[in-house]
Amino acid sequence: MPDTKASAVDEVVIQIRAMIRDRRMGIGDVLPGEVELADMFATSRGTIREAIRTLKAYGIAESRQKLGAVLTDGHNTAMQDLFAFAMEVSTDAFQDIQGFRRLTEMNLFDLLMAHLDAEALARLEAINAAIPTAGSADEASERDYAFHMALVAAAGNRTLTETYGMLKPVIRRLMMAGKTKRSTLEHVFIEHQAIVEALRSRDRIGFAYHMDRHLSAGLVFMPGAETYRSGQQQETERE
């Protein structure tokens, strides 16, 4: 026998999410109260209450005193926390994340050429200029991430931008490697600037080359990097 109560709650959740889309509601907006929602969807306040609980469980909404149910980005935050907790800083982790970044950032050239303008290039250069003056590894990794986030966002693909944002804790943890050295900050600045110059001159090959070098550079700071490189070289020789 079907659970009619669960089905009714599920239906209301779908209706509320449709209402959120139709009204173009965003993070921080307050959902209508239980009475209004019950009238709107011709259901009981109990069903509305259960539907709101479901939205909260998914991180779509949270209760705020004197406001009621407010839309949040709790789902993304939860995913970020999960990634950050699960990710061990290691050579394998570095290769996995940088592999993802190669698939995304190194293939942005056409999108960037279609969307990038002088203002976006100036913004990239301004972010990059602040990296050598960072006062700590944490601050340097935040600025490093900001540069790459601005690059991804400039491509104009919302889904890609949101996915990159979800991975921020993991990417930043890897970016921390070596950032205590002033020479590393200078190298990051130079590598970023080369990427910007390749974009400015619309140089596809130069962009791919400098991005590839940049994404590989941090491997030297990973635990067991020499052992990993030796293993990779042996595999290449066997092939």
Side-chain angles (χ1 to χ4, degrees):
M1 182 178 178
D3 188 340
T4 55
K5 182 179 179 182
S7 298
V9 171
D10 291 341
E11 181 62 29
V12 171
V13 168
I14 293 170
Q15 290 173 321
I16 292 175
R17 295 188 69 170
M19 178 198 70
I20 291 169
R21 287 194 301 271
D22 293 343
R23 296 187 180 184
R24 299 183 182 276
M25 298 175 72
I27 295 167
D29 288 341
V30 182
L31 288 173
E34 288 181 5
V35 174
E36 184 178 348
L37 289 172
D39 289 341
M40 190 182 302
F41 302 128
T43 190
S44 69
R45 289 182 63 182
T47 300
I48 293 296
R49 198 170 298 120
E50 289 297 322
I52 296 296
R53 285 196 187 117
T54 301
L55 294 175
K56 290 175 182 176
Y58 280 108
I60 296 170
E62 66 179 27
S63 293
R64 299 267 180 90
Q65 205 168 26
K66 299 181 180 179
L67 288 177
V70 177
L71 296 182
T72 70
D73 61 348
H75 177 68
N76 285 348
T77 301
M79 290 297 290
Q80 287 178 349
D81 291 343
L82 176 62
F83 280 128
F85 178 78
M87 177 57 69
E88 176 188 359
V89 177
S90 65
T91 303
D92 287 338
F94 181 90
Q95 294 291 9
D96 286 345
I97 294 301
Q98 300 306 74
F100 165 80
R101 294 179 65 195
R102 278 190 173 84
L103 288 171
T104 55
E105 295 183 62
M106 286 184 64
N107 289 294
L108 288 179
F109 187 80
D110 289 336
L111 284 172
L112 288 169
M113 289 301 96
H115 294 92
L116 201 63
D117 55 20
E119 183 180 346
L121 284 169
R123 184 163 56 253
L124 287 169
E125 288 185 311
I127 296 170
N128 191 37
I131 290 176
T133 62
S136 66
D138 185 66
E139 186 178 358
S141 69
E142 178 64 34
R143 294 177 183 182
D144 192 357
Y145 176 83
F147 175 88
H148 288 273
M149 186 73 230
L151 190 68
V152 171
N157 186 302
R158 189 175 64 181
T159 300
L160 178 58
T161 302
E162 290 176 353
T163 302
Y164 201 87
M166 284 175 58
L167 287 170
K168 179 178 180 178
V170 178
I171 294 173
R172 275 204 59 200
R173 281 182 71 179
L174 296 184
M175 284 178 169
M176 291 270 290
K179 290 290 198 300
T180 55
K181 299 179 180 179
R182 187 60 51 185
S183 59
T184 301
L185 301 186
E186 292 292 341
H187 278 116
V188 170
F189 169 79
I190 292 168
E191 290 163 358
H192 282 178
Q193 195 58 39
I195 291 168
V196 172
E197 290 303 327
L199 288 171
R200 180 173 281 117
S201 59
R202 307 180 75 84
D203 180 0
R204 180 193 297 274
I205 295 175
F207 173 78
Y209 171 76
H210 291 298
M211 184 64 79
D212 181 58
R213 287 192 63 189
H214 179 54
L215 294 178
S216 300
L219 180 60
V220 297
F221 300 109
M222 293 296 107
E226 290 304 318
T227 303
Y228 184 90
R229 283 178 167 178
S230 175
Q232 290 291 93
Q233 185 175 359
Q234 289 175 12
E235 284 186 16
T236 302
E237 289 172 355
R238 283 198 296 269
E239 290 173 359

